[in-house]
Each structure stands twice: as structure tokens, then as C-alpha cells.
Amino acid sequence: MTAFVRSVLAEPRAPDPPARAWWDWALVGALLATAAGEAIFRPDVPWRPLATVVALVVIPALLWRRTHPLLATAVGFGGAMVLHIPLIVDDVVDAGLYTMVCVLMLPYALYRWASGREALIGTAIVAVPVTLGLAATETFGDLIGGATVVVASFALGAAMRYRAVARQREVQQVRTLERGELARELHDTVAHHVSAIAIQAQAGRAVAATDPAAAVEALAVIEAEASQTLSEMRTMVRVLRDGEAADAVPVEYAPQRGIGDLDELTRMSPLVVVRCVGDLSDLPQPVEVSVYRICQESVTNAIRHAFYPTRVSVEVRGEAGVVRLRVHDDGEATRPPTSVGYGLLGMAERAKLLGGVCQAGPDPAGGWTVEATLPREVSR
């Protein structure tokens, strides 16, 4: 039990709460207008001035329910506590406006966005007026119904928080795996260059005495290979520092696919058409592998998710300084942007690590398009 309490107290606030949007203001405005109308036209409101003032103070607190959930909860249920004054003075059970039911949004926000410590404090604040209100109910059914509604608000907030945390962990796992995969590919490339350096050094040493010009040429090759190796090693170190978990990635010994293997994507479906244009020679291995994997993932998604496509076009274009790729399907009912899966998320992370960008979404002309731009040189 002690360990559970400690873990709850150590729970931080949920990251990145949504900013206050126009519909928050619209909601609060509608609730204020409803409360004012109820206070004016509802004939059976006991302690009308108190009920009106409490509603007009509590409702605006909803604007801070995500950024300051404990404060909003304290204001909302503090107002609910004030409404128990008529119960003590005049034995009036329900002295509030019906609009005050909006405070049920606050337990949800408390468990969704607050830290563990704030959630415990907020739960205690909510418990006091809720307990007094339930104790004053006249039937057992009302007691169970009221308790269920409050508990459901808490439970929904906790469930949505758990779902967000699970999603965040899955996204982080995808990114970590992609970093590890890229680091492995860079390691293979560095090992290749180091082997070339060793061979050239041995050759230069062998001919140095008899052919100094050949030895100088070998030194030039060594210099070029060493510079490229140093650049790629710096990139690998940066990836490993960001990833911290590349060792968890299982090693694969199959040859890495590249731009020369893109034609194999046509075997996935007769709808796939591949076109490569421009200068695509002398690309670093991580760039070639990334181009292939982004195209492969995009084609796989198009085949699985596009509705009645007639064509899936893959175009890779080599330009000065960058390589651009575009995968487009002409499916009828295109999926929404939120359907982008973890595969494309990993590809976007890979492109970012190489200094490029990758994005996917519905095409204005119809269908779905994945576009990526990768630098020809691996970023340092």
C-alpha cells in the first residue's frame, strides 16, 4: 500500500495539455447563459441569489480545468460545498441550479491532467460535498446513481490518461527501435569504410618504396574514406545518445535494401508503379535504405488501407543536395490523418535523424500521399 501511495505521489502531470480553444469559451458562454436564464425564469430555485452567484463563479473555472486542474476542482466543488448552507439553515436539499451539473467535468480533468499529489488532494476536496449530497438523498436509488456518476467521471479521466500514456510509450518504442536500426546501419557503413582504409594503407605501404605516386594516391583515398567515416560516426553517436536503447534491437544479417531494389515493390501488387529519375548514384547507405523503407511502408499502407485504388505510384527523384520521394494512391475514401500508423511514424523519425522530413496525409487531388525529403549527405 505504501509503495502504491508513493508511486501515485510521484506521478507527474500529464504532458502537453491542449491549449484553451474557441469551443472552451463557447462552452463556458453557453453555460453562463443557461445559468442566467435558469436563475431568472426557473420559479422553484431556493436561495436564488446564492445559487446564481455560485454558478457564475464556478462555471468560468472550467476554462482552467486542463492547465490548473486542482485549482479548478477546488473552485468548482468549493462552490458545491457553499450550496450546502441552505441544507444546514433551511433543510433545503437542492439549492443549486441544474447548470451546476457541469462540475462533473472537473473530476475527469483532475485524473486526466493533474499530478498524483494534486489528484489525491482533489479527490479529498470532491469527496466532502459529494458525501454530504449523497447523505441527503431520500432513496437508495438516488444514492447509487449519484455515486456512480461521480465515480464514472473519475474513471473516465483515469482511463483516458492511461490510454495517452500507453500511446506515448508505443510511440517512444517505435522511435527507439528506429534509432537503433539506423545506428546499426551506420555501424555497418563505418565498418566498411574502416576496412577500405586498412586495405589502402596496406597497399600504400607496399608500394611506397617503389611507386611513391601510387602511395600518395592511396593516402588521398584514405583521407577521403576517413573523413566520411568520421562524419558517419558522429551521426551514429548522436543517434545512440538520443536513443539510449539501440542494444535492444535484434541484429539482422540480411543485406540492406536500397534504391536499386525499389522495383521489387511492384511484386506486392500489380497496382504499384515505380519511377526513379535524376541523379541517384553515390548516396550514403543510410539514405538509400531509408528511401527504400519509406517507400515500402507507404506501399504496404496503401495496399492495406486504401479503398478501391487503381494505382499506387512511387517516384524517387535525385536532385542537387537532396533525394525526394513521393508515394501516392488514388483510393476513393481516403483515411483521415489520425490513421497514420507506427510504421510511418518510425519513418518520420528516421528521416528526422538523417536531417530530412517525412509526412503523410490526404491529397487535395484525392487519395493519400506520403512525401519525404532526405539530404544526399548524412547530417552530422
Side-chain angles (χ1 to χ4, degrees):
M1 185 66 179
T2 303
F4 173 75
V5 173
R6 287 179 179 175
S7 65
V8 171
L9 292 176
E11 179 73 17
R13 278 192 175 187
D16 305 321
R20 192 179 298 125
W22 65 267
W23 59 266
D24 289 305
W25 292 98
L27 173 65
V28 169
L31 289 173
L32 288 174
T34 302
E38 187 180 355
I40 295 172
F41 299 109
R42 181 181 160 193
D44 60 337
V45 180
W47 290 59
R48 188 183 305 272
L50 177 64
T52 303
V53 170
V54 169
L56 296 180
V57 170
V58 167
I59 291 174
L62 296 176
L63 293 171
W64 288 272
R65 67 188 184 278
R66 292 188 291 263
T67 55
H68 298 82
L70 179 59
L71 176 62
T73 300
V75 173
F77 283 87
M81 176 68 78
V82 171
L83 292 177
H84 283 82
I85 294 177
L87 174 63
I88 300 172
V89 177
D90 289 343
D91 197 25
V92 176
V93 176
D94 186 9
L97 303 177
Y98 296 146
T99 315
M100 283 291 291
V101 73
C102 67
V103 298
L104 289 174
M105 300 171 64
L106 297 175
Y108 167 87
L110 184 70
Y111 274 31
R112 175 63 182 89
W113 302 109
S115 66
R117 186 180 299 274
E118 290 174 330
L120 288 178
I121 297 173
T123 302
I125 293 174
V126 172
V128 176
V130 168
T131 301
L132 292 176
L134 294 177
T137 55
E138 299 178 354
T139 65
F140 183 74
D142 291 341
L143 174 64
I144 296 300
T148 301
V149 170
V150 175
V151 171
S153 179
F154 279 120
L156 182 60
M160 294 302 294
R161 185 189 190 106
Y162 174 81
R163 179 183 178 187
V165 170
R167 165 73 179 179
Q168 184 180 15
R169 287 175 179 172
E170 290 174 347
V171 169
Q172 186 58 42
Q173 183 180 17
V174 170
R175 289 175 172 171
T176 300
L177 291 174
E178 201 60 45
R179 290 171 188 268
E181 180 68 18
L182 181 58
R184 185 182 69 81
E185 294 166 8
L186 288 169
H187 173 271
D188 294 343
T189 304
V190 169
H192 169 76
H193 290 312
V194 171
S195 299
I197 290 173
I199 293 172
Q200 291 294 331
Q202 292 169 358
R205 182 178 179 182
V207 301
T210 59
D211 191 352
V216 172
E217 183 178 349
L219 289 175
V221 174
I222 290 174
E223 180 183 8
E225 291 284 347
S227 299
Q228 187 171 0
T229 301
L230 182 60
S231 174
E232 293 176 353
M233 188 175 294
R234 286 173 177 169
T235 301
M236 182 172 65
V237 170
R238 174 173 59 84
V239 170
L240 291 174
R241 284 177 176 174
D242 290 341
E244 297 293 335
D247 292 339
V249 181
V251 177
E252 298 178 1
Y253 295 100
Q256 295 295 328
R257 303 287 186 175
I259 292 178
D261 302 300
L262 286 174
D263 286 337
E264 296 183 4
L265 299 179
T266 59
R267 301 177 185 175
M268 300 175 64
S269 170
L271 304 178
V272 179
V273 178
V274 176
R275 179 169 176 259
C276 297
V277 296
D279 181 13
L280 296 173
S281 61
D282 299 326
L283 294 175
Q285 184 189 23
V287 175
E288 284 216 27
V289 174
S290 297
V291 169
Y292 179 85
R293 293 194 61 187
I294 293 174
C295 291
Q296 181 187 44
E297 181 68 29
S298 304
V299 170
T300 301
N301 281 352
I303 295 173
R304 289 179 179 176
H305 303 298
F307 291 92
Y308 310 113
T310 61
R311 180 185 175 93
V312 180
S313 61
V314 178
E315 179 178 297
V316 179
R317 182 180 299 274
E319 300 179 359
V322 298
V323 177
R324 303 185 190 275
L325 67 90
R326 183 177 186 270
V327 180
H328 172 75
D329 69 74
D330 59 354
E332 294 178 1
T334 180
R335 56 263 189 207
T338 54
S339 71
V340 176
Y342 294 118
L344 285 178
L345 178 63
M347 296 302 98
E349 182 70 13
R350 170 182 284 262
K352 178 181 177 183
L353 290 171
L354 292 175
V357 294
C358 177
Q359 55 189 6
D363 196 294
W368 185 271
T369 298
V370 178
E371 293 182 317
T373 303
L374 301 176
R376 297 185 70 95
E377 298 294 332
V378 178
S379 59
R380 301 187 179 184

